Amino acid sequence: PEISQPDAVEFAVVWKQPTGAVASLPNLKALQSFGAGVDSILSDLTLPASLPLARIVDPHLTASMLEYLDTVLNYYRLRFDEFGTNQQQQLWKPRSPRKIRHLTVLGLGELGSAAARHFAGLGYAVSGWSGRLHQIDGVQCFAGDHQFAEAVAEADLLICLLPLTGATENLLNEARLAQLKTGAILVNVARGAIVDDEALLCALQTGKLAAACLDVFRIEPLPVEHPFWTTSGILLTPHISAVTNADTAVAQIAENYRRVQAGLPLLNQVDRTRGY
Ligand code: NAP
């Protein structure tokens, strides 16, 4: 709203922009997301349909996500969740590590494929699931709704790295969570609205899921009255698994500005019809 000369703007770097703000810039040639995800940008229905949109793809962002996932995996494998609860009751109860052998990664894009490769390299059995079929060494790949059940059937730990689109909203609902092994652990580092909150609470209460680690939520910050804060078995982090680092992202943003000036295609351009 503070832009004094909307006509002069040709390139905009955006993140959770107010509805209508982009449409009010008549000479805009391209949009650049300040993050890897673009769901909040595309949720503005006034966005011109033909406007090119780029997102951040950054090895530092990927490294940060892998560090987070490694930490979460070992937290559960070494039973830090159980020992934390035991400490509150001054209980000394040594136990051997949890058997986490098989991981399934939902989404095999920049982050998901890196995670699948990383854990396969560490010796875990890894399955991956995406829209189109991928081929990744050491990873059993599945694609499409008809292969979802097969992709998740063996998972001790399910990692969600899907983008939030019309097709993935509430994808992890009661029916799909029922296809997991009893005692599986869910890690959602993608977007909160991909998981049906009620179905997740129910799966934890019934023991279908042993635990859930959530970095992302339907509403952020998570409202104080939300049951996720107090549900046993949920570990929360405040959307910190892979935050855009301005120092490393700025070069590709500047390069995309130059590309727009030169009439060249953008780096890391989003497919507007797919929504990711
Ligand atoms: P990406 O490169 O766009 O990859 C998306 C993957 O999801 C692709 O493999 C795609 O399949 C698959 N996919 C999309 N729709 C699908 C559907 N309906 N069914 C099955 N598979 C589907 O995305 P990315 O860079 O890996 O990032 C993934 C998401 O992580 C982002 O969109 C963002 O929301 C989230 N993220 C979170 C954080 C955080 O701090 N928590 C940080 C960065 C990103 P195809 O391969 O067939 O296209």
Side-chain angles (χ1 to χ4, degrees):
E2 292 83 12
I3 296 171
S4 56
Q5 284 181 278
D7 298 8
V9 180
E10 294 184 323
F11 184 77
V13 184
V14 288
W15 188 249
K16 297 188 178 172
Q17 81 282 7
T19 300
V22 169
S24 71
L25 305 171
N27 295 319
L28 198 61
K29 292 181 182 159
L31 270 185
Q32 168 76 54
S33 167
F34 195 63
V38 291
D39 47 287
S40 70
I41 296 170
L42 295 179
S43 69
D44 177 354
L45 299 177
T46 68
L47 215 63
S50 58
L51 195 62
L53 168 64
R55 69 193 189 102
I56 298 293
V57 173
D58 179 0
H60 289 84
L61 193 84
T62 307
S64 156
M65 182 59 84
L66 296 184
E67 184 184 27
Y68 180 96
L69 293 173
D70 266 337
T71 306
V72 169
L73 171 59
N74 285 315
Y75 172 88
Y76 288 117
R77 204 178 63 79
L78 299 176
R79 299 186 189 271
F80 278 24
D81 53 334
E82 286 182 26
F83 296 140
T85 310
N86 291 350
Q87 182 179 349
Q88 286 165 10
Q89 299 163 49
Q90 290 159 292
L91 273 181
W92 181 274
K93 274 177 85 177
R95 287 194 69 187
S96 53
R98 236 189 218 114
K99 290 187 177 59
I100 299 182
R101 296 194 176 122
H102 196 120
L103 273 58
T104 294
V105 183
L106 302 179
L108 291 173
E110 289 293 333
L111 298 173
S113 63
R117 262 191 213 97
H118 173 72
F119 289 116
L122 291 177
Y124 289 95
V126 180
S127 299
W129 183 75
S130 53
R132 296 159 283 191
L133 191 62
H134 289 242
Q135 273 205 321
I136 302 175
D137 279 350
V139 177
Q140 200 175 5
C141 293
F142 299 90
D145 282 341
H146 65 291
Q147 289 196 326
F148 179 88
E150 221 181 323
V152 301
E154 298 300 322
D156 300 307
L157 194 97
L158 180 69
I159 299 170
C160 179
L161 271 168
L162 292 163
L164 176 60
T165 65
T168 63
E169 187 168 0
N170 290 319
L171 186 126
L172 292 177
N173 57 16
E174 190 185 347
R176 288 207 181 80
L177 291 176
Q179 292 168 342
L180 294 172
K181 245 175 25 183
T182 295
I185 294 170
L186 170 68
V187 182
N188 186 12
V189 278
R191 286 292 181 264
I194 297 171
V195 178
D196 176 333
D197 289 8
E198 288 303 318
L200 172 58
L201 289 168
C202 182
L204 286 163
Q205 272 148 17
T206 59
K208 178 73 191 173
L209 285 178
C213 171
L214 308 174
D215 184 49
V216 287
F217 305 90
R218 210 164 272 274
I219 301 174
E220 296 180 1
L222 184 65
V224 282
E225 65 279 8
H226 198 288
F228 283 175
W229 283 111
T230 49
T231 297
S232 155
I234 291 187
L235 174 66
L236 295 183
T237 53
H239 202 143
I240 47 78
S241 55
V243 177
T244 301
N245 177 336
D247 291 341
T248 57
V250 72
Q252 62 187 277
I253 296 175
E255 173 59 20
N256 268 343
Y257 176 65
R258 280 191 285 271
R259 283 171 172 255
V260 165
Q261 297 294 304
L264 296 170
L266 297 172
L267 298 176
N268 307 318
Q269 189 163 340
V270 168
D271 181 337
R272 292 275 318 259
T273 52
R274 286 185 195 276
Y276 64 93

